[in-house]
Amino acid sequence: MEYNLTTLQPVLPEIVLLCAACLVLVVDLFLSDRTRLVTYGLSLAALIVTVAATQYAAGPVREVILDGSFVRDPMADVLKTGLLLVSLFAFVYAKDYLRELGAFRGEYYVLGLFAVLGMMIMISANSFLTVYLGLELLALCLYALVAFHRDSKTGAEAAMKYFVLGALASGMLLYGISMVYGATGHLVLPEVAAVIAAGTADQTVLVFGLVFIVIGIAFKFGAVPFHMWVPDVYHGAPTAVTLFLGSAPKIAAFALAIRLLVDGLGGLLAQWQDMLIILAVLSMALGNVIAIAQTNLKRMLAYSTISHVGFIFLGLIAGTDKGFSAAMFYAIVYALTAAGGFGVVTMLSRNGLDAENIDDLKGLNDRSPWLAFMMMLILFSMAGVPPTVGFFAKLFVLDAVVSIDLVWLAVVAVFFSIIGAFYYLRAVKAMYFDKPLVDVPLVSSLDTQVAMSVNGLAMLAFGIFPAALLGACRAAFGG
Amino acid sequence: MMGFEKFLFYVFSVFLIFSAVMVITRKNPVHSALFLVLAFFNSAGLWLLAEAEFLAIALVLVYVGAVMVLFLFVVMMLDINIAELRAGFVRNAPVAIVVAIAMAVELLIVVGPQRFGIDVVAAPEPRPAGYSNTEELGLALFTEHLYAFEIAAVILLVGIVAAIGLTMRKRPETKYQDPSRQVTVKASDRLRVIKMDAEEKAR
């Protein structure tokens, strides 16, 4: 193909972000600890400029360039915008926490930007090779970020666990990909789909490869029974990293599942549907039940993540455009909610000491009524209480499952989310009805307060007016 | 496949499997590493037979020349207690053997000759004499796989940033040389000539 500004326009957001990340990397070298805020400002600017570039390159027509390895479609536009905005919130919340921890270094933002780049590559991947490379770029950044606080033993331990299990998952995924390549002879996803549709490929090899690909996806999502790393990594990593790790990558994992399972292996829907049903039911059951037993806030949110992954899978299981758009809505909403939830945890942490236990939430209403209100909205959204957006996210997913006559699955999902409501409400009770353990007033900088207010109120705003985001998700799947 | 090529294939394969088994059964880690080098040479031979010259040479240059040498350095510099590492070996061996056999059987069923045999997947046409594997690879990398190539470059950059970010730290007690100060130093900064009276000779 020709390489010029017109033909490369679909890949503009990635190019802009890569240049910006390299710029931040170099500028940061010349900064002292006192002027480190410049790195922070530049990183936020990089994300905002990339959002602008994404909007500039956006359009209703699907474009495939770079010899089939890159695709830009409406789904990619929406997911990239969501991803960049969620990362923006994460970067803002991380600042104060890192400064208190004495770890306010440029690497956090540089590695964060490269991780965002990796996720954007995954979202726009159109061949197995691109999917895998994007995933590795994201994973490498996250391993390093988890070990980011060098004096923390738990951080190093978590990073080691994450690295070993992550490498295993990548190996599984790669093995599955090689099987599918062997059976179809193609790496570009639509061509793989065409060979499968033609029925000339060996079905046994395809299904064998599919099993490994599903395992790889489940590992990256943290679905039961491949969830072992989630609580330990969320708990061991510095909260500023958990915040990033627990939010934006869920959007990328959704894109990974759509690209591989729908764009590439859509012809094997009947096979992966059954596998995902098992993963979804186990995730919702185990995540919600074990979360009740947690006293550590970060671990509780980790198990809550596992249960939400089950819900995202429900939308995929439906196998219809309606289901996919519902899952997409859920993934974006959950990423935003998780960023807010972990954001509050970082704001409660002071003087480098993590506020990790549910007890630390006690009496938050007396210390900071506004923050308590924001946290309440976020927790209600996770629990699925109307009128917050979490309710609609759950509703759309359940609607999609019911419309393919899997009523029992919807009943199971509702049952476990009622169990799950208990531990969210327990946290709300701690904030509003318990006496505070410490009466140190909460101080946070203006940008954090603004971001938290926007994030919390978004739960309410999207809940009352879900049509805009839902419309974008529907449009992404041709509805 | 021609008769002599077939013979070579079996020679390389037998040596490859033999050296791979030796890698995991040797007590001395240096021996294991050296057998791994032998395994790499044999797989390079197999790749040559498959007309993948560039990959064969890259395997020898990169893995044998760089990675394994580095590996040997580490093995020799660190005091690794093998007995400790092998403590659970005998106890876990039966389970490991069962799992390994199950996996081998499964693999044989899925990727065995009835699915990927020579009669199912046709052998590629032999290339003419002047064909350059390296040139084709270079062209493919910079045209068809340009995007993947660029992403791989970014991954390497992240590797550098992560490695330096995780290991480099400034310690105030570390002593290091500052060449610019060394150059500008004068004799008077280092040596002070003090005039003093000669002492009287003790009686």
Side-chain angles (χ1 to χ4, degrees):
Chain A
M1 64 175 267
E2 282 277 314
Y3 293 106
N4 58 42
L5 282 178
T6 326
T7 55
L8 285 179
Q9 189 180 320
V11 76
L12 184 72
E14 280 82 357
I15 296 177
V16 168
L17 186 60
L18 175 61
C19 296
C22 291
L23 184 76
V24 173
L25 179 64
V26 174
V27 169
D28 182 64
L29 288 178
F30 296 97
L31 296 175
S32 66
D33 281 343
R34 277 183 295 112
T35 50
R36 190 73 66 201
L37 274 180
V38 175
T39 307
Y40 166 72
L42 278 179
S43 308
L44 296 191
L47 290 177
I48 292 167
V49 170
T50 315
V51 171
T54 309
Q55 293 305 321
Y56 177 71
V61 187
R62 179 187 163 92
E63 293 170 287
V64 176
I65 59 163
L66 294 165
D67 286 287
S69 50
F70 181 93
V71 63
R72 193 214 56 72
D73 51 11
M75 181 184 94
D77 298 334
V78 177
L79 285 181
K80 279 182 198 172
T81 311
L83 170 76
L84 290 162
L85 292 178
V86 169
S87 308
L88 193 73
F89 282 119
F91 280 12
V92 173
Y93 299 143
K95 185 197 66 176
D96 283 349
Y97 177 86
L98 290 175
R99 293 180 99 176
E100 299 257 347
L101 193 67
F104 191 54
R105 292 185 289 133
E107 283 91 5
Y108 177 86
Y109 290 103
V110 171
L111 288 173
L113 286 175
F114 278 120
V116 174
L117 178 65
M119 291 188 264
M120 288 172 67
I121 290 170
M122 279 162 76
I123 290 173
S124 267
N126 197 40
S127 89
F128 280 128
L129 201 58
T130 325
V131 168
Y132 181 72
L133 286 171
L135 187 64
E136 282 304 287
L137 180 55
L138 166 67
L140 273 178
C141 294
L142 291 183
Y143 302 147
L145 280 174
V146 172
F148 179 70
H149 186 45
R150 291 180 301 204
D151 301 328
S152 150
K153 262 185 98 172
T154 53
E157 188 190 324
M160 201 62 211
K161 277 181 188 160
Y162 191 30
F163 177 68
V164 171
L165 287 176
L168 191 70
S170 296
M172 294 276 185
L173 188 67
L174 206 54
Y175 195 56
I177 287 174
S178 68
M179 287 287 168
V180 174
Y181 177 62
T184 61
H186 288 289
L187 281 177
V188 177
L189 293 168
E191 289 176 18
V192 171
V195 173
I196 293 174
T200 49
D202 188 303
Q203 200 70 13
T204 317
V205 181
L206 273 182
V207 175
F208 199 75
L210 173 70
V211 171
F212 282 97
I213 289 179
V214 169
I215 291 176
I217 293 173
F219 249 118
K220 294 295 171 191
F221 259 112
V224 181
F226 308 104
H227 65 288
M228 305 299 183
W229 59 273
V230 179
D232 287 347
V233 171
Y234 278 35
H235 181 200
T239 311
V241 175
T242 310
L243 154 75
F244 183 63
L245 178 81
S247 54
K250 288 291 171 283
I251 297 181
F254 168 77
L256 176 77
I258 288 288
R259 294 293 182 212
L260 290 179
L261 294 183
V262 180
D263 284 6
L265 302 171
L268 300 174
L269 173 72
Q271 278 87 353
W272 58 253
Q273 213 169 22
D274 292 343
M275 300 179 202
L276 290 194
I277 287 177
I278 299 173
L279 292 173
V281 171
L282 286 178
S283 300
M284 287 186 295
L286 195 124
N288 278 322
V289 172
I290 297 193
I292 293 174
Q294 304 303 318
T295 53
N296 183 300
L297 198 54
K298 277 157 84 181
R299 284 189 95 84
M300 187 192 95
L301 287 173
Y303 281 104
S304 133
T305 299
I306 295 174
S307 71
H308 286 285
V309 164
F311 265 94
I312 296 177
F313 277 177
L314 285 188
L316 296 174
I317 287 166
T320 54
D321 285 344
K322 189 176 166 189
F324 298 147
S325 56
M328 182 174 167
F329 185 82
Y330 202 108
I332 295 175
V333 164
Y334 178 70
L336 193 63
T337 317
F342 284 112
V344 172
V345 181
T346 58
M347 287 168 80
L348 292 173
S349 308
R350 277 297 162 254
N351 301 325
L353 287 174
D354 278 6
E356 286 195 331
N357 291 322
I358 296 174
D359 289 348
D360 291 315
L361 279 178
K362 277 185 179 168
L364 185 62
N365 187 41
D366 297 342
R367 295 166 70 195
S368 167
W370 183 244
L371 189 63
F373 179 59
M374 291 300 127
M375 186 60 172
M376 186 183 76
L377 288 178
I378 288 163
L379 287 169
F380 275 177
S381 178
M382 284 186 179
V385 177
T388 54
V389 65
F391 169 74
F392 290 99
K394 282 194 167 58
L395 183 70
F396 297 142
V397 168
L398 292 175
D399 182 34
V401 175
V402 170
S403 65
I404 59 154
D405 295 331
L406 281 175
V407 180
W408 70 270
L409 195 58
V411 172
V412 169
V414 171
F415 174 70
F416 283 116
S417 54
I418 291 171
I419 293 181
F422 168 74
Y423 58 88
Y424 297 120
L425 293 180
R426 183 175 61 184
V428 173
K429 176 210 157 229
M431 291 194 305
Y432 279 91
F433 299 109
D434 289 348
K435 288 266 167 291
L437 296 179
V438 282
D439 46 358
V440 189
L442 279 169
V443 278
S444 46
S445 51
L446 183 67
D447 46 356
T448 318
Q449 285 173 357
V450 171
M452 181 49 75
S453 306
V454 172
N455 196 338
L457 291 177
M459 299 293 111
L460 210 54
F462 279 128
I464 298 170
F465 309 105
L469 184 57
L470 186 68
C473 294
R474 290 256 164 88
F477 287 96
Chain B
M1 218 188 267
M2 307 291 281
F4 184 61
E5 278 184 33
K6 207 173 217 168
F7 170 72
L8 278 182
F9 173 79
Y10 282 113
V11 170
F12 282 130
S13 307
V14 167
F15 270 104
L16 177 59
I17 293 170
F18 164 76
S19 47
V21 171
M22 294 303 258
V23 170
I24 55 170
T25 50
R26 291 304 87 193
K27 282 207 169 93
N28 188 333
V30 176
H31 291 178
S32 288
L34 290 175
F35 271 113
L36 194 56
V37 170
L38 183 62
F40 282 141
F41 267 112
N42 282 301
S43 29
L46 285 178
W47 267 343
L48 270 183
L49 285 180
E51 296 186 13
E53 300 89 9
F54 181 79
L55 287 180
I57 295 167
L59 185 73
V60 172
L61 279 182
V62 177
Y63 274 81
V64 178
V67 177
M68 286 317 295
V69 170
L70 200 70
F71 203 80
L72 274 175
F73 266 130
V74 175
V75 168
M76 289 177 177
M77 279 168 70
L78 295 180
D79 182 23
I80 302 171
N81 188 352
I82 301 299
E84 200 175 285
L85 286 177
R86 296 169 67 94
F89 188 78
V90 178
R91 192 160 41 91
N92 295 331
V95 184
I97 290 171
V98 170
V99 172
I101 291 176
M103 274 175 69
V105 170
E106 282 171 1
L107 275 183
L108 215 61
I109 292 171
V110 175
V111 295
Q114 78 272 28
R115 292 212 165 73
F116 289 100
I118 202 94
D119 47 331
V120 185
V121 184
E125 288 287 306
R127 301 288 183 181
Y131 178 81
S132 166
N133 200 291
T134 316
E135 196 182 318
E136 287 297 313
L137 208 62
L139 277 175
L141 265 187
F142 286 99
T143 54
E144 194 187 338
H145 298 298
L146 180 73
Y147 189 50
F149 185 76
E150 295 288 339
I151 301 170
V154 179
I155 290 178
L156 289 179
L157 176 65
V158 167
I160 298 172
V161 173
I164 296 177
L166 291 182
T167 53
M168 202 184 80
R169 47 177 83 201
K170 285 206 177 72
R171 294 166 190 269
E173 71 269 27
T174 310
K175 294 185 166 45
Y176 56 91
Q177 293 180 320
D178 185 348
S180 67
R181 282 180 61 205
Q182 284 180 319
V183 171
T184 54
V185 81
K186 292 191 205 72
S188 55
D189 295 341
R190 294 289 155 88
L191 186 71
R192 198 148 53 96
V193 182
I194 302 172
K195 291 263 188 248
M196 56 191 292
D197 299 331
E199 282 188 32
E200 273 182 46
K201 194 177 179 185
R203 282 166 202 266

